Amino acid sequence: MTSQTSIVVVENINKTFHSKGHTPVKALQHVSNHVDKGEVLVVIGPSGSGKSTFLRTLNGLEPVDDGVIIIDGVEVTSPKANLNKLRQNVGMVFQHFNLYQHKTALENITMPQIVVLKRTKSKANEIGNQLLARVGIGDKGDSYPSELSGGQQQRVAIARTLAMTPKVMLFDEATSALDPETVGGVLDLMKELAADGTTMVVVTHEMGFAREAADRVIFMDEGAIIEEGTPDEVFDNPQHERTKLFLSQIL
């Protein structure tokens, strides 16, 4: 059910992947949902359930076959949509950081601000340094990605996204490429963002994070939303047998 405060509205989207010599794969099947301003929506489900595809449709990285996606009043699925402008408002943090290896941590954060938002270099540097401090690596601005741990690289990626002041932040398995020791720090940072009222859609295998930080959890399987509710409803009292089976195997 959408509301007046919904910043993300998804209505009946479908996506099928076709590859030569293979049976078509229905990645998304009649998916509808919404995200309210300041809400944290966490998407869980087994591998191949459509979670990441769903996330990637929200900023136009993955076009849908049909259905409608509206973000902050802009119809993403319209042929006339300005996806570059949309992506200024929808920040995405990827599993593998996607940093420029030949640029320092600070430069990774300042360059998009200068190129896309047309900020001056001094202003971009000021914001970049503030955000590096905010994500807990204020002393790493001059370091290159190869000199940083995975957790530190992901913090740079999060700072880079925050620098664009997006209205919605998407996190695609943001901790799955990290070693166990650094996962907690990145999850704590994401919890801080959630507590600050950042609108977030998070695909994750971290059920502790889902339980603690989510306002709402959706469980996907075979491209469809099988179940949704508050963390307590989904984790403590799942209604669907598929959800029960999934949770019994991971909790």
Side-chain angles (χ1 to χ4, degrees):
M1 191 67 199
T2 60
S3 70
Q4 295 298 314
T5 57
S6 293
I7 192 166
V8 177
V9 178
V10 178
E11 294 179 351
N12 202 30
I13 61 171
N14 291 284
K15 173 71 179 180
T16 300
F17 287 112
H18 299 271
S19 57
K20 203 170 178 182
H22 292 86
T23 308
V25 176
K26 291 184 177 180
L28 296 174
Q29 302 190 66
H30 306 294
V31 172
S32 297
N33 219 275
H34 67 94
V35 186
D36 288 346
K37 195 171 189 302
E39 185 179 24
V40 178
L41 175 67
V42 173
V43 186
I44 63 171
S47 295
S49 59
K51 307 184 300 293
S52 291
T53 302
F54 170 62
L55 203 69
R56 290 167 66 87
T57 64
L58 298 183
N59 69 350
L61 278 177
E62 200 65 73
V64 297
D65 299 335
D66 49 66
V68 175
I69 299 170
I70 299 169
I71 294 189
D72 197 31
V74 176
E75 188 182 332
V76 180
T77 41
S78 165
K80 297 176 181 172
N82 182 339
L83 293 182
N84 288 331
K85 185 152 184 59
L86 167 82
R87 287 174 191 146
Q88 292 177 35
N89 290 327
V90 185
M92 186 146 180
V93 179
F94 297 89
Q95 181 176 345
H96 294 293
F97 327 131
N98 287 25
L99 299 178
Y100 293 106
Q101 295 298 313
H102 61 291
K103 295 194 176 296
T104 65
L106 181 60
E107 287 168 343
N108 265 281
I109 299 167
T110 58
M111 193 176 74
Q113 298 179 64
I114 295 166
V115 172
V116 179
L117 301 182
K118 307 300 184 215
R119 285 179 182 150
T120 63
K121 187 174 181 181
S122 61
K123 183 63 177 175
N125 279 334
E126 180 189 337
I127 291 169
N129 281 312
Q130 287 172 353
L131 286 169
L132 282 169
R134 181 180 176 187
V135 301
I137 50 170
D139 58 338
K140 298 294 184 184
D142 293 331
S143 300
Y144 288 89
S146 61
E147 300 169 328
L148 300 173
S149 70
Q152 290 169 335
Q153 290 185 63
Q154 194 60 290
R155 287 165 187 260
V156 174
I158 292 170
R160 176 182 58 186
T161 304
L162 289 171
M164 307 302 282
T165 55
K167 293 177 177 172
V168 182
M169 285 188 73
L170 311 177
F171 291 84
D172 188 13
E173 302 280 16
T175 59
S176 64
L178 305 179
D179 62 81
E181 286 185 0
T182 57
V183 167
V186 172
L187 289 175
D188 286 344
L189 173 58
M190 291 167 65
K191 287 176 195 167
E192 285 173 28
L193 295 176
D196 287 345
T198 307
T199 306
M200 296 162 62
V201 184
V202 182
V203 168
T204 186
H205 288 298
E206 299 287 344
M207 297 303 137
F209 173 84
R211 188 185 277 276
E212 202 173 321
D215 295 301
R216 199 157 43 89
V217 175
I218 62 177
F219 171 72
M220 293 186 70
D221 189 41
E222 295 185 350
I225 295 175
I226 304 293
E227 187 152 0
E228 73 173 286
T230 65
D232 285 349
E233 287 167 345
V234 172
F235 289 114
D236 296 336
N237 191 25
Q239 299 301 301
H240 198 283
E241 286 305 319
R242 183 66 187 91
T243 319
K244 292 176 186 175
L245 176 63
F246 174 76
L247 292 174
S248 72
Q249 290 173 334
I250 60 166
L251 291 180

